[in-house]
Amino acid sequence: MERLTEPEEEAMQVLWQLNGGFIKEVLELLPEPRPPYTTLASKVRNLERKGYLSSEKLGNTYRFTPAIAAEDYRKQTMNTLVGNYFRNSYKDLVSFFAQEQHISAEELKDIINMIENQKPKP
C-alpha cells in the first residue's frame, strides 16, 4: 500500500465517511481552507492511480468509491509506524506515550482490562 500525503488522507477520510462520492461532495466536507476544485480533483485521481479509489462515470462526472477499507488503511499505517519508530514493539509504543504523559496510569489499566476481556476472533 503506497503511503498517502496529508491532503490525500484528508480526502480519503471524507470518502470513507461518505462511503464514496463526487469531488464536489468531498470538497464541501473538507476543513477550511479548502483546496481549489481542480487541486482536489488531481488528488482524487492520484488516489485512484494508487489503488485507493475506484471510479464510475455517471453522465459527465465521476463518482469515486473507496477500494480500501478505512480499517485496513489504519492497520497498515499503525504497523508501519510501529515498525519504523518503535522497532516493531507495541510495548515500546505504549511506553513512549506513558513517558510523554499522553496516557495516564488509569488509561493503561483500562487498556489492560480491554485486552484481558477481549473475545478471541473466530
Side-chain angles (χ1 to χ4, degrees):
M1 208 180 297
E2 193 174 337
R3 188 159 183 201
L4 298 181
T5 65
E6 188 175 334
E8 289 172 338
E9 193 168 306
E10 283 180 347
M12 280 304 300
Q13 292 293 342
V14 172
L15 284 158
W16 281 318
Q17 176 187 340
L18 294 171
N19 197 27
F22 299 94
I23 291 173
K24 184 177 180 185
E25 294 173 315
V26 174
L27 189 62
E28 290 171 359
L29 292 176
L30 286 175
E32 294 287 348
R34 293 184 180 107
Y37 180 93
T38 54
T39 301
L40 178 59
S42 176
K43 297 287 180 211
V44 168
R45 285 296 180 186
N46 282 340
L47 288 165
E48 184 179 28
R49 181 188 52 76
K50 289 179 177 182
Y52 283 88
L53 296 173
S54 59
S55 65
E56 175 185 7
K57 187 167 175 63
L58 297 171
N60 62 352
T61 190
Y62 288 87
R63 184 174 192 285
F64 296 90
T65 306
I68 294 172
E71 180 69 16
D72 293 339
Y73 178 73
R74 185 176 67 173
K75 285 178 185 177
Q76 179 63 37
T77 301
M78 283 304 300
N79 288 337
T80 300
L81 174 84
V82 173
N84 289 345
Y85 297 100
F86 298 98
R87 301 180 315 257
N88 286 319
S89 171
Y90 284 89
K91 180 179 172 184
D92 287 352
L93 170 76
V94 173
S95 175
F96 168 80
F97 285 113
Q99 289 172 359
E100 295 295 315
Q101 299 177 357
H102 294 293
I103 190 168
S104 69
E106 194 62 36
E107 289 171 314
L108 286 171
K109 288 177 189 174
D110 289 344
I111 291 169
I112 291 168
N113 285 334
M114 285 172 43
I115 293 168
E116 289 176 345
N117 294 321
Q118 184 176 353
K119 295 178 183 172
K121 293 183 180 180

